[in-house]
Structure formats: structure tokens, C-alpha cells
Amino acid sequence: MTSSSSSSQATKRFARTHPEGLRADALMEEDVAWSHEIDGERDGEQFDRSERAALRRVAGLSTELEDVTEVEYRQLRLERVVLVGVWTSGTVQDAENSLAELAALAETAGAMVLDGVIQRRDKPDAATYIGSGKADELRDIVLETGADTVICDGELSPGQLIHLEDIVKVKVIDRTALILDIFAQHAKSREGKAQVALAQMQYMLPRLRGWGQSLSRQMGGGSGGLATRGPGETKIETDRRRIREKMAKMRREIADMKTGREIKRQERRRNKVPSVAIAGYTNAGKSSLLNRLTGAGVLVENALFATLDPTVRRAETPSGRLYTLADTVGFVRHLPHHLVEAFRSTMEEVGDSDLILHVVDGSHPNPEEQLAAVREVIRDVGATDVPEIVVVNKADAADPLVLQRLLRVEKRSIAVSARTGRGIAELLALIDAELPRPSVEIEALVPYTHGKLVARAHSEGEVISEEHTAEGTLLKARVHEELAADLAPYVPAPAL
């Protein structure tokens, strides 16, 4: 028998008499041979000490469709939504158009629309918006599609949101919250961000919910002794109070910004510069039209609410009259009243203008609805007395029969294409004809030493004729009363 076999037999005898001691020695010995008697009872695969201490991933527990290894994946993942609407009036085509617009809003906000359903009712259900039975059916659709959000085509009360979420077991938002989210993404200026934040807080205030400690009460209410007396505020009440304080602060900031905007408007009025406001439905082509008329270079994108911040640019009519052109916030059907109130200072550009260019998308399935929705907001901001020109945009992509119908129904209207330039020259001539004209017609011989008066006649009035003579500039123009008073000393005396 060899020495190795003798050593093995000795080891076996030692293992039988001292099993624990041999196991300890084997663990300390890195090159010890594997033994069935010693190692056979170990559970599972054996690792080095560092591998044994490391974290190991348990397969099959991830809730993502694929393993999340980078933060960027979460940022790129779109919310998967199901749309639901209540059809209370109108035709089925109207209801489908409304849901299609909601789908466009959802995609603009960064969601993936999986399905959309409509229910015919006299009025929305007070508890669950669509009724408990239809809510159960909606839950089945959510489970079938794998959606994580339900968007309702209407403004839901706090109770409706809670009850519907309890049934469908996913997040539920309404049309108002969706539009507010889009505005929050697209607001760029300080005033725009403040207006959106105010509207969001107004919407959020009655919809705060409390869980757990949010409903527990703080100690307080007494004179400060020991544990203090009285129940005090709950945390949710404290949150509401803080939101009200932030809203008050935000209103003060917006009022300060409104003062600056009002000063600019007063300066334009003082200089007798007419103003034209571009209003219209979102994505009707207002910014494209502004760029075409003035070369403003405003962002143009085929998306809802692509531009929120108003832009004012200087323009000139074919006859040489100066005026300002203001691009305003786009409107939408059922525009949340929170936004109308928050953006009131911006929308006052429409109310203070001398002429409104009401832009409507001629290629839309129902442009008449767009016109009605915009006019409702114009009425809310008190601009019903301002003259209006209906500009039917996207004439190159519109149905000719739709264009003929709109031009026939709307008496002061014109068809244009901001993309191709069709009808722009005719629109400029129409603006020149519709802008308010100076009230006084005057003829004056202005000395060359008072050339500023001639320049004012060109910028503030409408020059009919101009002739340079040896004594000065013989000017015939229509001007405002203030400039007419300044030119009065140079009016030639009537011939006897």
C-alpha cells in the first residue's frame, strides 16, 4: 500500500473520530482535495468568500417588460393609456372627434394610446363618471391592454377620481390635468411658468388626498402650555394652507408681470400704433402665419400647444402703415377655466387689439367646432367688440368643399396657406383695409426744419400724398387728432 493510501485511510479514521475538526481544517486549506464524505452534503454550488457575500439577483421578480439597467430607459418609457369618454349630445362623429383630440393631447404629453371607448349617457355618472358596471368593463380593458393610466374626456370631481381609481386599480386623470401637464412641459418664459403653476395649484387644491399620517393631527391650539390644548390641524389641512399661501404669492408675481405688459401696451397706444392679435385653435397654424407675415422665427411644430409664450412683432401694411402683430396662446375645446383665469393677462392682448385674426384649420374634420370653441374663450376675456377676420389656414391641404362652405358662412373670411404663401398678399391687403384709420384728414406745408412731424405722419397716420417744394413738404394725410393739432400751424390759409 502506498503512502497516499495510508494517509487517506488515516484521514477517514480522523473524520470518523473528529468530524468537526477535519471540516474546519478543510475550510482553511485552499488546496484540499474534494471528498464525497465531507463535501457531498454541502447545499448547492460552492463559491469563493467574496462571491458568497455578493448580492445575487432573483430572476422573475422584475415588473418591467425588460430588465432596467440604465436610468435613461425609465425616461424614455411612455405611459400606456386608455381613453374613456361620455357621449351626452351630438352625433357619434362628434364624440369620436372629441376622443381623437384627447388622443392627440395624450400623445403630445408623452403617452402611448392603447385603446379608447365611449359610453352613451344623458349625463356623466356622479360617482364613477361612466357608471359602476361600465367601470368594471373598463378595468377588464385595462388588464387586457396592460395600461397604467386611464384618461377621461372631461373634468372629474375629486370623488369621481377616487371611486374610478378604486375600481380600475390604475391611475386616473381627466382632460384638465392632461392639458395642465402639456402646458407645464411647454411653458418657457417666467410669466408662462408662473401662470401654469398657479393653474395647477388651483386644480390640485380640492383634490388633495390624505393617507396614514396625513390625517393625524398636530398638537396645538392652546396657549402653549405643556402638550397644548385643542386638536390642531391635520397634515392635509396644513398642505392646503401652504398651497393657498403659494397661490397668493404667485398671483402677486403675475400681477407684477402684468404691469410690465400693460406699460408696453400703453406705449403702443400712446404712439398710435394699431395692434392685431392672432387667435385660434391650437395647431391651427398661428405661429406659422406670424412667421409668414413678419419673419418672426417663432417655433413651428405639428403639435398641440407647441408655443405658449405670446410673441409681439412689428409689421407693416402694403400702404406703409405700421402695426403690431401678437401671437397668443392656442385654445382648445373645454379649455380649463383655471387656465383661462391664469392666462388672463396674456389673453388681454386679444381684448386690447384693434383687429383679431381668427385662424382656423381648414383641413380639420370639423372646423366649425374650432370656431365656436375659440369664440367662447374670446367672449370670456371680453373681446367680443373687436373686429374679426376669419383666416382659414392650410388651404393647400383642405377639402375645397369645406373651404367654400366656410367662406360662404363667414362673411369676413379668407383662405390662406402659411406653408406655401397662398393668399398672404390678399390677407395683408385685407388687414390694411380693416385696421382703424385716423379720423382727421389734413393738408399742411411742413417746413424742412420740422421733419419729425412728417415722420410721425408716416408712422402714426396714413399719407395720401407728399410733395417737396421750396418752402417745405406739402403733406396730405389722415392723422389722429393729437397730430392734427401739431400740424395745424402749418395748414395753408384758404385762398380769398
Side-chain angles (χ1 to χ4, degrees):
M1 185 178 292
T2 61
S3 60
S4 60
S5 61
S6 301
S7 174
S8 176
Q9 291 176 357
T11 301
K12 291 179 181 178
R13 287 196 300 271
F14 185 81
R16 285 194 296 270
T17 56
H18 302 85
E20 297 297 326
L22 180 60
R23 192 176 294 269
D25 291 340
L27 289 174
M28 296 299 295
E29 192 69 36
E30 292 183 359
D31 57 348
V32 67
W34 186 87
S35 171
H36 178 75
E37 289 84 353
I38 299 173
D39 300 320
E41 298 179 358
R42 293 182 180 176
D43 52 339
E45 188 177 357
Q46 304 303 306
F47 298 95
D48 291 337
R49 185 180 299 248
S50 60
E51 294 181 63
R52 292 199 305 271
L55 292 174
R56 277 175 276 174
R57 177 168 292 170
V58 180
L61 296 185
S62 175
T63 57
E64 300 284 351
L65 295 180
E66 60 183 80
D67 192 15
V68 180
T69 57
E70 295 182 359
V71 176
E72 287 78 3
Y73 174 77
R74 287 189 182 274
Q75 295 176 344
L76 292 173
R77 183 180 181 275
L78 300 179
E79 276 194 85
R80 300 162 63 83
V81 302
V82 170
L83 311 179
V84 56
V86 172
W87 169 26
T88 57
S89 61
T91 64
V92 64
Q93 186 64 40
D94 295 336
E96 290 178 355
N97 288 342
S98 179
L99 208 67
E101 182 179 272
L102 186 67
L105 288 169
E107 291 172 358
T108 302
M112 180 188 300
V113 179
L114 303 178
D115 205 349
V117 292
I118 304 173
Q119 187 200 7
R120 184 72 169 95
R121 295 179 65 94
D122 293 335
K123 62 179 180 179
D125 183 69
T128 60
Y129 183 65
I130 55 175
S132 57
K134 296 300 179 185
D136 291 335
E137 294 181 22
L138 180 61
R139 179 187 58 199
D140 296 337
I141 295 174
V142 168
L143 291 174
E144 179 185 347
T145 57
D148 48 34
T149 304
V150 170
I151 304 179
C152 298
D153 191 15
E155 184 167 340
L156 272 61
S157 68
Q160 287 173 322
L161 281 171
I162 294 172
H163 292 150
L164 195 55
E165 277 189 354
D166 289 341
I167 296 175
V168 299
K169 305 301 181 185
V170 295
K171 181 174 68 176
V172 176
I173 63 173
D174 58 12
R175 184 188 184 94
T176 300
L178 179 62
I179 295 176
L180 287 172
D181 181 78
I182 296 172
F183 271 58
Q185 291 181 43
H186 292 178
K188 297 294 185 293
S189 67
R190 179 167 169 259
E191 183 177 8
K193 290 178 180 178
Q195 289 167 331
V196 172
L198 176 60
Q200 285 179 317
M201 285 187 284
Q202 286 177 320
Y203 174 80
M204 186 195 314
L205 185 61
R207 291 170 174 82
L208 286 181
R209 307 185 201 175
W211 291 280
Q213 292 186 357
S214 295
L215 299 178
S216 62
R217 292 190 180 275
Q218 298 178 359
M219 303 295 281
S223 58
L226 295 181
T228 70
R229 287 84 175 167
E233 286 181 314
T234 61
K235 186 176 183 301
I236 194 170
E237 290 169 344
T238 306
D239 292 340
R240 288 195 181 107
R241 177 166 51 81
R242 288 175 176 169
I243 288 178
R244 291 190 188 97
E245 291 172 355
K246 287 183 179 179
M247 288 170 60
K249 179 182 177 182
M250 203 70 69
R251 286 193 180 99
R252 289 194 296 270
E253 292 180 359
I254 293 174
D256 293 340
M257 299 176 202
K258 178 183 177 181
T259 303
R261 189 179 295 278
E262 181 62 30
I263 289 173
K264 293 179 182 177
R265 281 199 289 261
Q266 289 177 357
E267 184 70 16
R268 293 197 292 268
R269 284 195 292 266
R270 188 178 66 83
N271 292 328
K272 309 297 183 184
V273 179
S275 61
V276 178
I278 302 178
Y281 214 77
T282 179
N283 205 31
K286 299 183 298 300
S287 298
S288 300
L289 186 64
L290 177 70
N291 290 343
R292 174 65 69 171
L293 293 176
T294 66
V298 178
L299 169 69
V300 174
E301 188 177 349
N302 185 22
L304 305 185
F305 301 113
T307 51
L308 295 183
D309 304 316
T311 304
V312 180
R313 290 292 183 268
R314 182 175 175 176
E316 187 174 330
T317 65
S319 64
R321 299 173 61 197
L322 295 178
Y323 65 98
T324 60
L325 200 60
D327 181 17
T328 60
V329 177
F331 303 147
V332 73
R333 186 191 296 111
H334 307 309
L335 189 68
H337 63 277
H338 309 293
L339 282 172
V340 175
E341 184 63 32
F343 278 80
R344 185 167 294 276
S345 61
T346 302
M347 293 178 180
E348 284 174 357
E349 294 285 354
V350 178
D352 289 344
S353 62
D354 297 301
L355 180 66
I356 297 176
L357 297 185
H358 186 165
V359 183
V360 61
D361 183 358
S363 63
H364 191 269
N366 197 340
E368 287 85 0
E369 278 193 8
Q370 289 193 353
L371 288 168
V374 174
R375 283 169 176 160
E376 182 180 350
V377 180
I378 289 176
R379 185 168 57 251
D380 290 341
V381 298
T384 53
D385 296 333
V386 182
E388 175 191 70
I389 296 176
V390 175
V391 181
V392 185
N393 193 23
K394 305 183 184 180
D396 55 322
D399 185 348
L401 295 178
V402 175
L403 288 180
Q404 292 177 12
R405 186 180 74 229
L406 288 173
L407 296 177
R408 184 176 65 253
V409 173
E410 300 294 336
K411 300 305 179 185
R412 299 169 61 180
S413 59
I414 184 172
V416 304
S417 173
R419 187 176 66 87
T420 64
R422 168 186 168 183
I424 296 299
E426 293 82 355
L427 176 60
L428 287 171
L430 189 57
I431 292 173
D432 195 359
E434 293 291 338
L435 280 177
R437 296 182 176 277
S439 56
V440 180
E441 184 172 329
I442 192 171
E443 184 174 353
L445 183 62
V446 184
Y448 291 120
T449 54
H450 292 76
K452 286 184 178 181
L453 292 175
V454 178
R456 285 181 60 189
H458 279 279
S459 61
E460 301 176 16
E462 184 178 356
V463 176
I464 300 173
S465 64
E466 183 178 13
E467 181 183 351
H468 299 289
T469 65
E471 293 80 11
T473 303
L474 183 60
L475 188 69
K476 186 177 182 181
R478 292 191 185 94
V479 295
H480 298 285
E481 293 180 358
E482 182 181 347
L483 182 55
D486 295 337
L487 289 171
Y490 308 107
V491 175
L496 297 176

